[in-house]
Amino acid sequence: MNFNLSEEQLMIQQAARDFAQNELLPGVIERDRDQKFPTEQVKKMAELGFLGMMVDPKYGGSGLDAVSYVVAMEEIAKVDASAAVVMSVNNSLVCAGLEKYANEDQKQKYLMPLASGQVIGAFALSEPEAGSDATSQKTTAEDKGDYYLLNGIKNWITNGGTAQYYIVIAHTNPEKKHKGINAFIVEKGWEGFEIGLKEDKMGIRGSDTHSLIFNNVKVPKENRIGEDGFGFNFAMAVLNGGRIGIASQALGIASGAYELALKYAKTRKAFGTEIINHQAIAFKLADMATQITAARMLCYKAASEKDQGLDISESGAMAKLYASQVAMDTTVEAVQIHGGYGYVKEYHVERLMRDAKITQIYEGTSEIQKIVISRSISKK
């Protein structure tokens, strides 16, 4: 088994690292404080091909493998988890789903501008009373012949106010439960489609999280993705891939916090020596390094299986479950190693700690990942 990155993957890693340090790091504290979306930075991410990394070049993408995507995501998330989640949603939830399941007309009209970064997209599944239990959603799409009439509310939608195109999951035949759900491509500006208030979040404050309100929105029949009733399977398949993106984001948050803690421990002195020479601190760093390496291997494994066309429901869930826990544990310890300095914004680790928590919640909570994993292993 080869654990070494290829020459191309190393180049992508370096490009992402340079971009994060030169373009994302300046102003990241202020964007977090002001809840400012990284508009200019996202444009530059598009120019680098980071918004459609795994999409075929004929549809405007970079045509890269999933491991390259993980590598780039980690470097971006080390510095700015808000920018990383914009990248994750556009790649994993929007572009990946459209490339695999949309028809050719939909790909030409929607995938090409999304993959090239001319616009960004959003994925709308969660609702006020339906997060993990996707079959309990109340949003409906009534079949009116040549169009659907969309009504309902979606919550916690990343890129909610900034996106141009939205993949919306809705019930067409509620009596059929999960077999009556469909996925639709909805455009910003359509009559009856309203962007709700922006959420005031604990972490990833630079990302754009809104509720979406649909009031008799006419969705053309040609904007349904796949056959009638395919929406639930579409959403679950897309989320499987999306978990690799969030696992990579969590990995980046953890490795970013670790690098800051290691640097600080090598320079901060206490009791006559650098604090890294004290076993209490050295052992914390040893645990952090080990856990981050293990999380990285899980992310690479899931990405490699995706590249091979294998079922990634188990490996993706394992990567997200473990990496998100490592992100929480590592960022808490990074703050502790920094002492009082870790509690102030200037040293970055308090922001990373706040950013880490959401990785245990969105795109399937840690509890949902355990359900996915346990069901998978029970079949073996």
Side-chain angles (χ1 to χ4, degrees), residues 81-146:
S82 295
V85 76
V86 175
M87 178 175 163
S88 177
V89 167
N90 208 71
N91 274 284
S92 299
L93 298 187
V94 180
C95 288
L98 290 176
E99 182 171 33
K100 187 168 183 178
Y101 297 109
N103 61 41
E104 189 61 28
D105 288 341
Q106 291 168 341
K107 290 177 183 179
Q108 292 293 331
K109 184 175 182 180
Y110 297 111
L111 179 58
M112 289 189 72
L114 286 162
S116 62
Q118 297 173 43
V119 299
I120 61 173
F123 182 81
L125 174 63
S126 295
E127 297 186 1
E129 297 179 15
S132 297
D133 183 7
T135 60
S136 295
Q137 59 187 294
K138 301 294 191 296
T139 299
T140 59
E142 186 180 356
D143 192 341
K144 292 291 187 178
D146 59 348

Side-chain angles (χ1 to χ4, degrees), residues 4-165:
N4 296 319
L5 297 177
S6 69
E7 185 175 341
E8 182 181 44
Q9 289 163 346
L10 288 170
M11 290 174 61
I12 292 164
Q13 182 182 56
Q14 189 61 54
R17 184 176 296 155
D18 290 344
F19 171 75
Q21 293 297 320
N22 298 328
E23 302 292 344
L24 291 175
L25 186 57
V28 66
I29 293 174
E30 291 74 22
R31 292 194 300 275
D32 172 77
R33 180 193 66 205
D34 300 335
Q35 299 189 78
K36 183 180 178 183
F37 186 82
T39 303
E40 293 306 313
Q41 291 79 8
V42 169
K43 288 180 181 177
K44 292 177 181 178
M45 286 168 67
E47 292 170 5
L48 289 169
F50 287 161
L51 296 185
M53 290 189 70
M54 297 171 285
V55 176
D56 192 305
K58 71 179 181 180
Y59 296 119
S62 300
L64 297 169
D65 61 310
V67 175
S68 295
Y69 170 56
V70 169
V71 166
M73 275 289 299
E74 179 182 354
E75 294 300 325
I76 300 298
K78 279 183 184 181
V79 174
D80 189 348
S82 295
V85 76
V86 175
M87 178 175 163
S88 177
V89 167
N90 208 71
N91 274 284
S92 299
L93 298 187
V94 180
C95 288
L98 290 176
E99 182 171 33
K100 187 168 183 178
Y101 297 109
N103 61 41
E104 189 61 28
D105 288 341
Q106 291 168 341
K107 290 177 183 179
Q108 292 293 331
K109 184 175 182 180
Y110 297 111
L111 179 58
M112 289 189 72
L114 286 162
S116 62
Q118 297 173 43
V119 299
I120 61 173
F123 182 81
L125 174 63
S126 295
E127 297 186 1
E129 297 179 15
S132 297
D133 183 7
T135 60
S136 295
Q137 59 187 294
K138 301 294 191 296
T139 299
T140 59
E142 186 180 356
D143 192 341
K144 292 291 187 178
D146 59 348
Y147 66 90
Y148 290 90
L149 207 58
L150 187 63
N151 283 282
I153 298 174
K154 294 294 183 180
N155 259 27
W156 320 116
I157 308 305
T158 302
N159 301 343
T162 313
Q164 188 66 36
Y165 304 138

Side-chain angles (χ1 to χ4, degrees), residues 132-277:
S132 297
D133 183 7
T135 60
S136 295
Q137 59 187 294
K138 301 294 191 296
T139 299
T140 59
E142 186 180 356
D143 192 341
K144 292 291 187 178
D146 59 348
Y147 66 90
Y148 290 90
L149 207 58
L150 187 63
N151 283 282
I153 298 174
K154 294 294 183 180
N155 259 27
W156 320 116
I157 308 305
T158 302
N159 301 343
T162 313
Q164 188 66 36
Y165 304 138
Y166 302 76
I167 297 177
V168 181
I169 312 299
H171 260 301
T172 302
N173 297 291
E175 66 281 359
K176 293 184 178 180
K177 298 183 179 179
H178 74 280
K179 294 183 179 180
I181 294 174
N182 279 303
F184 304 93
I185 305 169
V186 177
E187 298 182 24
K188 177 182 281 184
W190 282 357
E191 186 176 354
F193 177 20
E194 179 183 346
I195 309 297
L197 291 175
K198 185 176 183 178
E199 302 291 350
D200 188 0
K201 308 186 298 295
M202 176 175 78
I204 57 167
R205 289 170 58 81
S207 75
D208 187 24
T209 308
H210 288 259
S211 58
L212 308 177
I213 302 154
F214 304 97
N215 184 17
N216 289 332
V217 178
K218 289 185 176 181
V219 182
K221 210 58 167 285
E222 58 264 28
N223 278 41
R224 186 187 72 205
I225 301 172
E227 297 298 317
D228 186 29
F230 179 64
F232 181 79
N233 289 336
F234 169 84
M236 294 303 103
V238 166
L239 285 171
N240 280 339
R243 285 163 187 156
I244 296 176
I246 299 306
S248 305
Q249 181 196 27
L251 171 63
I253 292 170
S255 57
Y258 164 74
E259 289 178 5
L260 289 169
L262 179 62
K263 180 180 178 181
Y264 183 82
K266 287 181 175 180
T267 57
R268 172 71 170 177
K269 288 186 176 182
F271 304 103
T273 186
E274 290 78 10
I275 62 173
I276 196 170
N277 296 322

